[in-house]
Amino acid sequence: MSGDKKGKVILAYSGGLDTSCILLWLIEQGYDVVAYMADVGQEEDFEAARAKALKCGAVGFFLADLKREFVEELIYPAVQCNAIYENVYLLGTSLARPVIARGMIEVALREKCDFVSHGCTGKGNDQVRFELAFYGLAPSIKVIAPWRLPEFYQRFAGRSALLEYAAQNGIPVVQTAAKPWSTDENLFHISYEAGILEDPNTTPPDDMWKLTTSPQKAPETPETLTIEFSKGLPVKVTCEDGKVVTDSVDVFLTLNALARKHGVGRIDIVENRFIGVKSRGCYESPGATILRVAHMDLEGMTLDRNVRALRDQFITIQLSQILYNGFFFSPEREFVTAAIPASQKTVNGFVRLKLYKGNVIVLGRDSDEGLYDAKFSSMDEMGGFEPTATTGFIDISSIRIKAWSRAK
Amino acid sequence: MSGDKKGKVILAYSGGLDTSCILLWLIEQGYDVVAYMADVGQEEDFEAARAKALKCGAVGFFLADLKREFVEELIYPAVQCNAIYENVYLLGTSLARPVIARGMIEVALREKCDFVSHGCTGKGNDQVRFELAFYGLAPSIKVIAPWRLPEFYQRFAGRSALLEYAAQNGIPVVQTAAKPWSTDENLFHISYEAGILEDPNTTPPDDMWKLTTSPQKAPETPETLTIEFSKGLPVKVTCEDGKVVTDSVDVFLTLNALARKHGVGRIDIVENRFIGVKSRGCYESPGATILRVAHMDLEGMTLDRNVRALRDQFITIQLSQILYNGFFFSPEREFVTAAIPASQKTVNGFVRLKLYKGNVIVLGRDSDEGLYDAKFSSMDEMGGFEPTATTGFIDISSIRIKAWSRAK
Amino acid sequence: MSGDKKGKVILAYSGGLDTSCILLWLIEQGYDVVAYMADVGQEEDFEAARAKALKCGAVGFFLADLKREFVEELIYPAVQCNAIYENVYLLGTSLARPVIARGMIEVALREKCDFVSHGCTGKGNDQVRFELAFYGLAPSIKVIAPWRLPEFYQRFAGRSALLEYAAQNGIPVVQTAAKPWSTDENLFHISYEAGILEDPNTTPPDDMWKLTTSPQKAPETPETLTIEFSKGLPVKVTCEDGKVVTDSVDVFLTLNALARKHGVGRIDIVENRFIGVKSRGCYESPGATILRVAHMDLEGMTLDRNVRALRDQFITIQLSQILYNGFFFSPEREFVTAAIPASQKTVNGFVRLKLYKGNVIVLGRDSDEGLYDAKFSSMDEMGGFEPTATTGFIDISSIRIKAWSRAK
Amino acid sequence: MSGDKKGKVILAYSGGLDTSCILLWLIEQGYDVVAYMADVGQEEDFEAARAKALKCGAVGFFLADLKREFVEELIYPAVQCNAIYENVYLLGTSLARPVIARGMIEVALREKCDFVSHGCTGKGNDQVRFELAFYGLAPSIKVIAPWRLPEFYQRFAGRSALLEYAAQNGIPVVQTAAKPWSTDENLFHISYEAGILEDPNTTPPDDMWKLTTSPQKAPETPETLTIEFSKGLPVKVTCEDGKVVTDSVDVFLTLNALARKHGVGRIDIVENRFIGVKSRGCYESPGATILRVAHMDLEGMTLDRNVRALRDQFITIQLSQILYNGFFFSPEREFVTAAIPASQKTVNGFVRLKLYKGNVIVLGRDSDEGLYDAKFSSMDEMGGFEPTATTGFIDISSIRIKAWSRAK
């Protein structure tokens, strides 16, 4: 019988309607299908998904807990260089795709799959991120993207066609009304897009936001915490109640819990997708927002000015674009991240913060690095250098300006 | 008698202790002194200052209202390119110095002054900003910077020496205790530095902040507003109560009032001064903070992706450094700003905002520019282009990645 | 009869075998075809091409002399910012495509064509440059790219199939052996690629090079010339024999003639095409090579250091990529070029050069701009500023370095 | 007696008139002086210099052969990233200063010197390069720069004052006429500046050039060679006569000899010094010029497109400025160079070159890296990817362009 088969496919499976239908359809087309799920911190009933995948006919189901590598390999370099896309988006989905893709390719090679498949639409960023990652890891793998295949997308033109197909195949579908937007969730963030959000002037409804309390409903009482960094990485969080967290995943979960409580980390933007289309997205990145404020603040105290300026221009902007566009497994990503450690050697110290109704307020910071020297910066006393030296500095700095001014 | 004079000096005069003593001292050294004050929106008793300057012996006193040119010539280009220094500081002092310097040079040339003087210390940024601006406008002008002259700074080593000198010369000094920090204020912002702030781990006391209510004391009820932009400039603010403001200075003052009420615009950072010294500064930039959020948001909807990315890298970062370091009157500033209008042609539309206890929340935005097209971005329907085209796009985009992956 | 027609196509026609077959094939498919040729300075028998196009059945033939706009609108901005791709390639083909595309779209709109067609292959840069230009100028135009249509490229799999098709249709084909490479020529350059050049270790044969004498066969006697620039543009060339040229096209032709004689302007590289494929190309850019040397030299004397550095990093690199990748009609190209005039205000003066066997040697240069001031730069005399000022300059410049060194 | 001494100085000594007078003068001022010479490949009579220093009264003389560390630690990273200042200058002097300064500081610490001194003028780059390097290595060291001390430069206002002072102190001075320019030489290059060169329109006399034959007098017969690179470094040079060189210093000396013979590596420019003054300089960088051509060519074949573009924009330009301005021992230099190895992993292969009368002509190149794939790039055959994929690529790439064009 397997002689008739077209080969083996590993499918990025979510347990939802779309990927269940894709699973069924792939089998119908003559493929053996292995379902793959990654636990990157999203809220999900993995056991139910496993049962559903097998019921759909999957020849295998693989669940991988990738939370630690997600945090340590993807999120941490992003934290170290304050990665941000178009000044606003903290890249939560972009960061998760490479670890998921790597997990899939590992199973694909082990299970001798010839194909990789996913349920991403043909207009978004995630199809690109998945597939470029697949190709970067396994350049000869073949991709099946049903939502870009006319025989699939013409057959399943709306949600009802999918529901009907699932029912015909005896696949139970939870009969809740679909939310009028779609989401992607992991321990770094949740995204909301499509549906009613496609009108950029529509304010998202209050009940859309899932990972954070509304600032208006957040506690009246602020809460403080201290984050300690070593080489630009958050190695210790001390909460107001004295609780101390040091494990990399726990640090993230703890910051998420604090930020959620205090309404920190919501954004609502129109962004530019890699394919050149503008798109409206809303995001909650609770812990990540706290970390970004703290890390940037500590860099003010501990990072050399010129390193910071070069890093902002060379690494931050470039890496953010590379991640957003899906080129994590690429020579340019390897090149750009190679310089991160050299930029973070001195980023050691702590930042004291206050959370209050959506605000992350810096209360103070300190470091033993010694790059901040009150004696030098003090306006109130001599110290560090002679005031007359500054006259020379300005004289020389103005040579070029005077020449230009005279020439005008 | 004037034959004995060393010449005429124009002094940037504030009415405070330092510049009054400098005024007296310059006269003592044999100079004729013209006192100059610029109204850039700071809270000041200009008439008292005039009286004091003349009592000190100034041969003239000039007060110039520079608010409009400050807003339209300095602040607006900064708004258009989202200028920010080290990701945090909105450049309020840096933006005011060039208009003040230009005002001084205009009077200096008219009044035939040979020298320009100021009360900036020998360790800060403002001495550089003032003097580079002076030289860029009048390359042959001579600068007297008393705080860098040993004969001055050794004589007036502390506040008490200044107080005594003033008293000796019959200059009344308000006998209030000096605040344990120094400030610089204009309609864009106020800065706090030095004194107790030189310990970067000291939280600024609540009563330091002057231009904004504390988020904790701000109203429980949010307030909405709409800002309309034309070519990247805020041309109309519509308040929740229906009040409409269109004048450039009024727009700023209105946004300041709203932000002040709702606790918007405080920051506390360690930054890198131009002379290479790290320094702790606190700032309130109320209206500017709202404007920045709104302008960046509208750019998401109206600015081409590649223009935005190039602008961020080429103009935003560069112009911010140029302004911070005091090179406003320079060939590089003229060069960099020459490209701003081309980047803002399409930044037309409005942004709806909500202010609430320190938060500036985007509620929605719209534009007639047509760069956002829901048909193209919709995840829920075909439209704009064929999904199969994306397959080709990914195939071609991955050629380079596959080649690299195979070569590894 | 026209009711059966599929519509009207304008075809970028060269008179060669490929585009003649495409012309025939388009007619066979039911299109009316208008043939378009642009004179951008290439060596071509335009009349023969016209006759052939009409014999093939074209319903119209249009020839446009675009040499002047090619020089003044495309080449000149490139000269002003020293445009170069990957440090080596002067962008000759990239610069010509936009003017040709614009010429075609003008005729297309006038002649009410529904389609634009070209003979570019499916692997090169020129298909992209043409089509992006078409879409940038006429976003609703439809493109027929036969070499990417299976029904075409499978039918005409080799040169013999094309020859046979031409013969069947009574189209005379010059029976010379095809050169083992392909070329693109205009007044800026000629390119050679494909065929035997696809082995990057094969030295191009001597008789390939068409626009320049071999350095080894160039005259033993050097020849001098002077180029005068105004705002970065070459406004006057004075030859050794006293001949003076000022017209923009003549300047180019004159420099081409001189460079050709003295073996100037050959390169042989492996470059990266926009689609991500590496490709070997050889180029002759005779006059352009002289101009580049002269313009960069004069900028040394007349352009402010910081403007030059910013321009190199942000305009030169960006514009070169934009041109190479075919995005001339794009918002980013408009943005980037908006800053060019501000960078060239002071680039006025002349450069004296010597040409000799492949070398372009600068003999001297001068300018009235005054940015170069021997008094300031002289090592042999005091002048311009006090040596003690430099001590202050170094003291301040080293604050940051000392802090870092101590912290290590 | 030593109780009267002001302390111990290490002096960068050249054996020439200036530094001999400085040596004498420092002793006269009450310092013990240690003379230091570095052999960085310049042509010099080191033994005569030793004798002269000791005759002047130096308490010690140290000569260090730094050629290998100069090549391997300074020159090689510059080669790997094609370092160049203002598009023309290969940074020969800038590269030598850090190794010399490091050599001096090593001896200074060992010999317990309190001061470092040098003979650089107060207007040039080298004073800055030396002193920033001193401070970066030994932040508490004190610098004596006689040419910036009024008591020195006023006393020795011209060459005759120095000659007289030397004679008075019994120091023999070679009575040759001084050349009307000054030079700095090492195994990478020689520079010429000042004197008659300060008129930028004066063509340097033929007999100025020292390290290269004039192209006009170079052999009529070309000469070929092959350079093999490993990770971007030249590991093997094979000459036309079969001679093979692999040692790092020998590679440089061999390339120098070949370039010298064939007139390769002369330039004549106006450049911008760090202090903001324009300056005319002539340089010969013979072997370095060959290496640059070869390395850039091989990168075309072996370096990923995006890595190359990012490296050009962020490493090449930045490192060149850092080196030129004297910030080798700085956090930003460490940061920038940290990314170089990641950019050169694939730069392996060889380049075949021909030298002829000033020209460095690439004859071919090859590599086993596999990033160049004739099957993909071939215009003459299908292969690598489907032509239809390019249609999708262009469709998607034009979405943004069409939207912009429609919006106009």
Side-chain angles (χ1 to χ4, degrees), chain D residues 330-359:
Chain D
S330 74
E332 62 266 34
R333 199 274 307 162
E334 289 195 353
F335 171 58
V336 165
T337 50
I340 293 179
S343 76
Q344 298 291 296
K345 272 187 283 188
T346 56
V347 184
N348 305 304
F350 66 82
V351 180
R352 296 188 301 111
L353 300 162
K354 179 167 79 173
L355 308 180
Y356 173 69
K357 284 184 168 288
N359 297 275

Side-chain angles (χ1 to χ4, degrees), chain C residues 85-87 121-124 127 131-132 135-136 139-140 147-148 150 153 193-195 198 200-203 215-216 220 222 268-270 272-278 280 296-297 300-301 303 305 308-309 312-313 317-318 321 327 329-332 334 350 352 354 356-359 362-365 371-372 375-383 385-388 390-391 393-394 397-398 400-402 404-406 408, chain D residues 85-87 121-124 127 131-132 135-136 139-140 147-148 150 153 193-195 198 200-203 215-216 220 222 268-270 272-278 280 296-297 300-301 303 305 308-309 312-313 317-318 321 327 329-332 334 350 352 354 356-359 362-365 371-372 375-383 385-388 390-391 393-394 397-398 400-402 404-406 408:
Chain C
Y85 183 66
E86 296 189 339
N87 294 307
T121 76
K123 290 181 157 184
Q127 56 177 341
E131 297 178 26
L132 291 180
Y135 293 138
S140 302
W147 285 119
R148 295 202 309 263
Y153 68 71
E193 63 177 347
E198 286 173 2
N201 198 20
T202 295
T203 308
Q216 285 175 247
E220 296 298 319
D268 172 353
I269 62 170
V270 177
N272 292 287
R273 288 192 204 138
F274 181 39
I275 59 164
V277 160
K278 287 185 177 292
R280 199 268 192 94
M296 291 211 313
D297 184 75
M301 181 147 184
L303 192 51
R305 178 190 64 189
R308 182 177 188 154
D312 285 352
Q313 205 175 350
I317 291 183
Q318 308 304 331
Q321 282 183 359
F327 288 86
F329 297 106
S330 74
E332 63 266 33
E334 290 194 353
F350 66 81
R352 296 190 300 111
K354 178 167 78 175
Y356 173 69
K357 283 185 170 287
N359 297 275
V362 176
L363 296 176
R365 76 293 281 167
L371 291 180
Y372 178 90
K375 182 182 73 194
F376 272 79
S377 59
S378 175
M379 293 298 191
D380 302 328
E381 49 166 320
M382 295 293 131
F385 59 97
E386 292 302 307
T388 50
T390 315
T391 303
F393 180 71
I394 297 175
S397 298
S398 66
R400 202 170 51 77
I401 303 306
K402 288 175 181 168
W404 164 80
S405 182
R406 288 207 174 92
K408 284 229 294 193
Chain D
Y85 183 67
E86 297 190 337
N87 294 308
T121 76
K123 291 180 158 186
Q127 55 177 343
E131 297 179 26
L132 291 180
Y135 294 138
S140 302
W147 286 117
R148 295 201 310 262
Y153 68 70
E193 64 177 346
E198 286 173 2
N201 198 19
T202 295
T203 307
Q216 286 175 249
E220 297 298 321
D268 173 352
I269 62 171
V270 177
N272 292 287
R273 288 192 205 138
F274 181 39
I275 59 165
V277 160
K278 286 185 178 293
R280 198 266 192 95
M296 291 211 314
D297 184 76
M301 181 146 185
L303 193 51
R305 177 189 66 190
R308 181 176 189 155
D312 286 352
Q313 203 175 352
I317 291 183
Q318 308 304 331
Q321 282 182 0
F327 289 86
F329 298 107
S330 74
E332 62 266 34
E334 289 195 353
F350 66 82
R352 296 188 301 111
K354 179 167 79 173
Y356 173 69
K357 284 184 168 288
N359 297 275
V362 176
L363 297 176
R365 75 294 280 168
L371 291 179
Y372 179 90
K375 182 182 73 199
F376 273 78
S377 58
S378 175
M379 292 299 191
D380 301 328
E381 50 167 320
M382 295 293 132
F385 58 98
E386 292 302 307
T388 49
T390 315
T391 303
F393 180 72
I394 297 174
S397 297
S398 66
R400 204 172 50 78
I401 303 305
K402 288 176 180 167
W404 163 80
S405 182
R406 288 206 173 93
K408 285 230 292 194

